[in-house]
Amino acid sequence: MSELLVDWITSLDGYGAAEGWPGFWGLQGPEYLAWLGEAPEATHTVLMGATTYRLMSGFAAQAEPHPGENDESSGLDELTAAPKIVFSSTLETPLSWANTQLVRDDAVHAVTALKDEGVDLRTIGSVSLCRSLIGAGLVDRFRVVVFPVITGASGRERIYDGYPDVALEMIASRTFDGRIQLLEYAPTVLDGPPGADGS
């Protein structure tokens, strides 16, 4: 049975990145990097929107290959090798990033069809895309890796703005390097707060 995993790394206050901070907020440790090196969900097809594609393909184009090393560059090597789909009406083919397919169709319809075909999927970045997939009830697993920092003044890309109400059933958790928290949930989209309909 296929699954769709929405996968985030965030600050404690729910930002996906912060102005002036390094990748992983500079707080990645050996346990977390070793887990990334294990390439969880390496066989999943990666989904992204155009903004994330432009950013990540730019990083990949500039990165030196570092086979076997557990760092951001080796992660980019693995991402370059992975099958990827970018949803965009503005990008043009041919795309420069290897193993990337451009899809102009509605993402919800396309992802529904891919899941019906048995394709395992995961997201990277792509705030708007993930919001649409969550809202459509297509997400089977929701994973957040929380870094121990609050970036209220410099944070950008607030992840959860515009989400529907979602109940989360915890299915896994783990702490890396004594400070980074991984949380995995099975999400259920709600019509509203429990009891809001008077029941």
Side-chain angles (χ1 to χ4, degrees):
M1 182 167 182
S2 67
E3 74 161 358
L4 169 58
L5 165 67
V6 163
D7 199 6
W8 287 111
I9 62 167
T10 79
S11 61
L12 182 61
D13 51 342
Y15 285 98
E19 197 68 41
W21 290 70
F24 302 129
W25 292 271
L27 297 171
Q28 66 273 26
E31 289 180 3
Y32 178 65
L33 292 174
W35 175 76
L36 285 180
E38 294 166 8
E41 296 84 36
T43 60
H44 286 43
T45 296
V46 179
L47 308 177
M48 69 190 83
T51 300
T52 297
Y53 172 82
R54 290 184 181 101
L55 179 69
M56 298 303 294
S57 63
F59 288 155
Q62 295 171 9
E64 295 288 332
H66 294 87
E69 292 183 22
N70 291 331
D71 61 13
E72 288 180 84
S73 296
S74 63
L76 283 171
D77 295 342
E78 289 161 5
L79 194 54
T80 295
K84 298 174 288 297
I85 295 173
V86 56
F87 296 97
S88 175
S89 59
T90 58
L91 292 172
E92 299 291 339
T93 55
L95 296 175
S96 60
W97 201 6
N99 305 308
T100 307
Q101 174 187 355
L102 176 62
V103 174
R104 297 189 184 283
D105 297 338
D106 175 75
V108 167
H109 291 135
V111 169
T112 300
L114 287 165
K115 290 186 69 178
D116 288 345
E117 293 168 14
V119 179
D120 287 324
L121 308 163
R122 66 183 176 100
T123 62
I124 182 170
S126 309
V127 173
S128 297
L129 173 63
C130 292
R131 185 186 307 121
S132 297
L133 298 176
I134 284 274
L138 291 172
V139 178
D140 303 289
R141 194 157 46 112
F142 191 86
R143 179 166 65 206
V144 182
V145 177
V146 182
F147 282 75
V149 62
I150 293 172
T151 55
S154 57
R156 54 187 173 84
E157 297 182 20
R158 284 185 58 87
I159 291 172
Y160 308 117
D161 288 354
Y163 269 45
D165 289 345
V166 182
L168 300 169
E169 178 186 351
M170 182 172 281
I171 55 178
S173 65
R174 181 174 173 182
T175 301
F176 299 107
D177 305 297
R179 62 180 183 242
I180 302 165
Q181 190 69 46
L182 177 150
L183 305 166
E184 267 188 64
Y185 301 98
T188 301
V189 177
L190 305 174
D191 292 331
D197 59 359
S199 60

